[in-house]
């Protein structure tokens, strides 16, 4: 049986039937629709049911496409963060942020040492500093250091995602935008109408685009062995 090696991760070169992939992607799209419509309609139960389904369905879809294990792990860590952020306690927020941080480490490992744009690095550095500095005094004191550390890791992931191409690069940028919207909410800055919808829409799009950006790389860089 031939295998695929991408960034040191071996995956099977043969994929399950395409019908399974399509079914999982359709189920993911349905969960997205239910989640966003529930948020728009103010139906909390619909959001609580649909949100925990999103990343497992996307991870399962990626797995059926022969995704590198690091991508599947990153998505499942996102699932852990999603579930924890449904809680209201400070510890669930911090542990959930830790899950997302671990997911970003997986993405960074997955992106490897591909060359990325220097102007893009400057732009992300400016965005990070320009957002974190004014947010700092408005964040709860106990969250300032964790949020700063997480923001640095997130910005690094977003920047490095551009090395995989436009699709993944947009995904990384949307992830940064989504979490910035969360941070401004914590700081009690003025929010867009229906802020939870914008947060979830940008987050879901980010994870999907990162997945879509990684999968062609997995197939394009593979080498086979008996």
């Amino acid at each position: 049986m031939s295998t695929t090696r991408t960034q040191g991760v071996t995956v099977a070169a043969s994929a399950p039937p395409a019908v399974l992939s399509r079914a999982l992607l359709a189920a993911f799209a349905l969960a997205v629709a239910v989640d966003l419509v529930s948020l728009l309609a103010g139906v909390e139960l619909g959001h609580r049911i649909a949100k925990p389904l999103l990343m497992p369905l996307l991870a399962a879809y990626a797995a059926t496409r022969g995704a590198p294990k690091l991508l599947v792990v990153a998505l499942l860590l996102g699932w852990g963060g999603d579930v924890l952020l449904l809680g209201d306690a400070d510890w669930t927020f911090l542990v959930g942020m830790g899950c997302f941080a671990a997911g970003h480490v997986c993405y960074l490992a997955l992106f490897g040492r591909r060359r990325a744009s220097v102007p893009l690095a400057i732009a992300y550095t400016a965005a990070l500093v320009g957002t974190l500095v004014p947010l700092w005094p408005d964040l709860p004191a106990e969250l300032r250091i964790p949020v700063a550390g997480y923001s640095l890791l997130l910005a690094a992931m977003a920047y490095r995602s551009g090395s995989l191409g436009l699709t993944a690069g947009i995904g990384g940028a949307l992830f940064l935008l989504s979490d910035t919207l969360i941070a401004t909410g914590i700081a009690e800055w003025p929010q867009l109408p229906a802020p939870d919808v914008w947060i979830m829409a940008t987050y879901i799009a980010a994870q999907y685009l990162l997945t879509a950006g990684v999968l062609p790389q997995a197939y394009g860089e593979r080498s086979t062995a008996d």
Side-chain angles (χ1 to χ4, degrees):
M1 177 178 174
S2 63
T3 59
T4 298
R5 182 168 294 275
T6 304
Q7 295 298 325
V9 177
T10 302
V11 297
S14 58
V19 65
L20 178 58
S21 293
R22 289 196 295 267
L24 288 166
L25 188 59
F28 170 71
L30 178 61
V32 170
V34 170
D35 188 53
L36 296 181
V37 170
S38 296
L39 288 172
L40 279 171
V43 181
E44 181 67 15
L45 179 61
H47 173 60
R48 287 185 170 273
I49 291 173
K51 185 181 181 184
L53 297 175
L54 295 169
M55 291 306 107
L57 287 170
L58 186 57
Y61 163 73
T64 64
R65 293 286 312 278
K69 292 179 181 178
L70 278 173
L71 174 60
V72 176
V73 172
L75 293 172
L76 292 179
L77 285 166
W79 167 72
D82 289 344
V83 172
L84 286 162
L85 264 58
L86 286 172
D88 296 325
D90 288 344
W91 74 267
T92 60
F93 177 81
L94 288 171
V95 177
M97 186 165 61
C99 286
F100 285 116
H104 297 325
V105 172
C106 290
Y107 278 126
L108 284 169
L110 193 58
F111 300 153
R113 298 182 179 180
R114 294 178 180 85
R115 301 179 68 177
S117 165
V118 173
L120 193 61
I122 295 172
Y124 272 116
T125 301
L128 177 64
V129 174
T131 302
L132 195 56
V133 169
L135 271 175
W136 185 266
D138 295 329
L139 291 170
E142 66 275 13
L143 292 181
R144 288 172 182 168
I145 298 301
V147 167
Y150 175 81
S151 298
L152 181 61
L153 182 60
L154 171 59
M157 185 282 292
Y159 160 62
R160 292 292 302 147
S161 67
S163 66
L164 262 67
L166 183 61
T167 299
I170 293 174
L174 287 175
F175 216 134
L176 181 62
L177 174 59
S178 179
D179 283 2
T180 299
L181 293 174
I182 293 175
T184 59
I186 294 171
E188 298 184 351
W189 282 16
Q191 298 291 292
L192 295 168
D196 289 343
V197 176
W198 290 106
I199 289 169
M200 285 305 299
T202 50
Y203 165 69
I204 293 166
Q207 292 280 40
Y208 175 76
L209 289 173
L210 284 167
T211 299
V214 167
L215 287 176
Q217 295 292 330
Y219 287 108
E221 295 183 8
R222 71 188 183 193
S223 62
T224 59
D226 294 332

